[in-house]
Amino acid sequence: MPSPIRTPRLRARLLSVVVLCCTLLGGMLAAQPATAAVPVANPNSYHVLVTKSRPLNPLNYIAPDLVYFPGTNYVLRRAVSANLESLFAGARNAGAPLSVVSAYRSYAEQASLYNSYVARYGQAVADTISARPGHSEHQTGLAVDVGNANGSCGLGACFGTTAGGKWVAANAWRYGFIIRYPDGYQSTTGYTYEPWHLRYVGRPLATEMKTRGIPTLEHYFDGSNPTIKSPTDLTAVDSAGVLWNYPPNWTGGFAQRARVGSGWGGLKAGFTTDWNSDGIQDILAQWQDGKLTLYRGLRGGGFQSPIRIGSGWANHEITVGTWWRGSRYPSVVTKDGAGRLWHYANNTGGALSSQARGQIGSGWQNLKITLADFDRDDNQDVLATRTNGELVLYRSNGKARFIYESRRTIGSGWQHIESAQAVSGFRGPDSYGLTARTSSGALRHYPINSGGWGGSFTIGLGWQNYRLFR
């Protein structure tokens, strides 16, 4: 947030600053996310949430577009069947062939099954292993019970220890499925561990849950709805000073963007980071007048009022990351106007102090810096761009120091890259790379794997008037 400008016409300038601040805060606090993570009640939706306390409406709902799964008498919704075919082909190719054990069940069929469990085990036990009619995912046509093709461990917890069960746990997300009732979450779902029960939610949501480590739909729809939902989101300011957030679709692109706020024309650089390590993404803003401001993200959306955490940063090139491996909070690595490289430790999740800084280099005047774990050893490295376009790797030891070694050139032509940020999960679980904007306005992604660069690709064009957060 810009500070008052001290001139003889102080009152007029102060008034203009107040107006700007109100505009900025009003835009920030009124921000709404692109998609709200609220429970879905529409039974036709692939994201419908059906639980013991959230029945289908109507109770005797009949799923649409039901088709027979090829070679069986089981029926599923059309998209579920098609994706299950692909899942079965993947499992078969991996040497873990699977078969369908149960699929769509009508209200009447679920009532008969539930009543049989009550008669056999009593209602208390039956409620942990079977849904009451109108409360079953099978009635949606989106759920399927799978088992090993040889019949071993059918509908038993031991299925999870077999080759088929392990393959499903590791790969179901690739086909749009989740294990709906995972181990250790009976108190959340109300049902015992069912490694065989797959629920179709579509590939984007399944990939998001896998990438973010969200174990159940109950956790996904728990009321948490921050404006910036994950570190993979791209936040950017346009030429009019409007702040936008672009959530990923988890397959190498973006979903619908959301307007976060306005009045950001005085921004020098911005960063999205969990600065206070509360699980919610915050915004760190470096203003052209040298102020460094923190906007703490709120669990339900929007941000707290800004906090000034530093000043005198106008001539610094800042980058944010976990420079000290194992530290609770992220910190700042910055290049000052004299070309010195500094590390500012973030010891409290709040303001930075000059007493918490340490010099880690000099002679960096003509280098642009980006933090990234290029060698995938869990230590943040510095990627430095020379004026001739060479990208040079400065590996760190995870303790705020560089490894003493010859500096390796890992790229060329980077003089055309104006900004870059390291992101995890952009193309799904375990993916990592740089998202960068070129001088021509192209937005590109450069995957990084254990062996170096993967094949880069263009995400979009026309970004030349956007300032990307890093």
Side-chain angles (χ1 to χ4, degrees):
M1 184 174 63
S3 64
I5 303 175
R6 294 174 176 83
T7 69
R9 299 181 179 180
L10 183 59
R11 179 179 299 177
R13 295 302 179 102
L14 284 174
L15 179 60
S16 67
V17 169
V18 170
V19 171
L20 176 58
C21 291
C22 290
T23 301
L24 174 60
L25 290 177
M28 290 290 291
L29 298 178
Q32 294 296 322
T35 55
V38 295
V40 177
N42 179 3
N44 291 326
S45 171
Y46 295 147
H47 297 172
V48 63
L49 180 62
V50 185
T51 69
K52 292 179 182 293
S53 59
R54 290 181 59 87
L56 288 164
N57 183 17
L59 278 176
N60 61 351
Y61 167 78
I62 299 175
D65 60 35
L66 292 171
V67 297
Y68 283 103
F69 186 71
T72 75
N73 290 322
Y74 295 107
V75 294
L76 292 162
R77 290 188 61 178
R78 188 180 306 278
V80 184
S81 180
N83 282 281
L84 187 65
E85 278 193 82
S86 298
L87 185 150
F88 275 21
R92 188 166 54 250
N93 291 337
L98 301 170
S99 63
V100 178
V101 178
S102 183
Y104 169 76
R105 291 195 290 266
S106 67
Y107 179 94
E109 289 172 323
Q110 188 64 32
S112 176
L113 180 64
Y114 175 77
N115 291 335
S116 71
Y117 282 129
V118 172
R120 187 182 310 175
Y121 303 114
Q123 186 168 316
V125 173
D127 281 337
T128 68
I129 61 176
S130 181
R132 299 186 182 196
H135 296 70
S136 173
E137 287 201 325
H138 285 281
Q139 194 177 326
T140 67
L142 301 173
V144 57
D145 295 336
V146 301
N148 293 309
N150 62 12
S152 64
C153 285
L155 299 186
C158 61
F159 172 69
T161 67
T162 67
K166 291 178 180 179
W167 187 91
V168 165
N171 296 283
W173 64 271
R174 302 179 188 276
Y175 306 90
F177 293 89
I178 62 172
I179 295 178
R180 181 64 179 91
Y181 306 120
D183 194 17
Y185 293 95
Q186 181 174 348
S187 62
T188 300
T189 66
Y191 296 103
T192 56
Y193 172 43
E194 294 188 0
W196 63 83
H197 181 111
L198 302 185
R199 161 64 194 274
Y200 184 76
V201 295
R203 295 188 186 187
L205 180 54
T207 305
E208 179 182 359
M209 290 180 67
K210 180 72 173 180
T211 303
R212 295 175 60 189
I214 300 174
T216 71
L217 284 179
E218 284 85 356
H219 285 86
Y220 185 80
F221 294 120
D222 70 349
S224 176
N225 191 28
T227 297
I228 301 174
K229 291 182 171 55
S230 81
T232 314
D233 288 22
L234 175 66
T235 307
V237 176
D238 66 19
S239 57
V242 177
L243 185 63
W244 298 94
N245 190 64
Y246 296 77
N249 63 13
W250 308 104
T251 58
F254 295 110
Q256 180 183 356
R257 72 177 184 175
R259 179 174 172 142
V260 177
S262 57
W264 289 77
L267 188 73
K268 179 179 174 67
F271 309 87
T272 54
T273 179
D274 186 3
W275 188 251
N276 58 345
S277 296
D278 65 350
I280 305 298
Q281 291 294 297
D282 311 308
I283 286 179
L284 197 66
Q286 178 192 12
W287 299 98
Q288 292 174 2
D289 65 0
K291 300 291 189 304
L292 199 61
T293 311
L294 172 66
Y295 298 81
R296 289 193 171 121
L298 297 173
R299 178 180 173 83
F303 299 85
Q304 293 181 12
S305 298
I307 303 169
R308 185 191 298 180
I309 64 170
S311 58
W313 292 81
N315 295 322
H316 286 250
E317 180 186 345
I318 293 175
T319 185
V320 177
T322 306
W323 184 243
W324 192 288
R325 182 176 179 178
S327 62
R328 180 179 179 185
Y329 304 112
S331 54
V332 167
V333 172
T334 179
K335 180 186 70 175
D336 67 17
R340 294 170 298 189
L341 206 62
W342 300 89
H343 172 238
Y344 282 76
N346 170 19
N347 295 322
T348 65
L352 292 173
S353 169
S354 59
Q355 265 109 49
R357 73 173 184 171
Q359 186 172 348
I360 57 177
S362 60
W364 289 71
Q365 291 94 327
N366 298 318
L367 298 174
K368 290 195 297 184
I369 60 174
T370 300
L371 281 186
D373 179 14
F374 186 78
D375 57 1
R376 310 301 290 131
D377 64 351
D378 293 328
N379 295 327
Q380 292 290 299
D381 309 310
V382 170
L383 309 187
T385 305
R386 293 173 174 164
T387 54
N388 64 1
E390 290 181 338
L391 189 65
V392 181
L393 173 63
Y394 288 76
R395 294 196 306 141
S396 85
N397 62 4
K399 297 180 180 179
R401 288 291 181 268
F402 292 117
I403 295 174
Y404 185 74
E405 63 183 3
S406 298
R407 306 304 173 197
R408 180 159 57 103
T409 299
I410 57 174
S412 60
W414 284 74
Q415 69 270 29
H416 302 298
I417 301 297
E418 295 194 342
S419 65
Q421 64 166 344
V423 291
S424 297
F426 187 64
R427 295 191 303 162
D430 302 323
S431 64
Y432 185 75
L434 295 182
T435 295
R437 190 197 65 188
T438 69
S439 55
S440 65
L443 194 65
R444 293 184 58 80
H445 187 72
Y446 296 83
I448 298 173
N449 51 47
S450 58
W453 299 109
S456 63
F457 56 92
T458 298
I459 305 168
L461 303 173
W463 288 78
Q464 57 266 34
N465 294 322
Y466 286 78
R467 187 182 298 276
L468 305 186
F469 279 36
R470 303 198 295 270

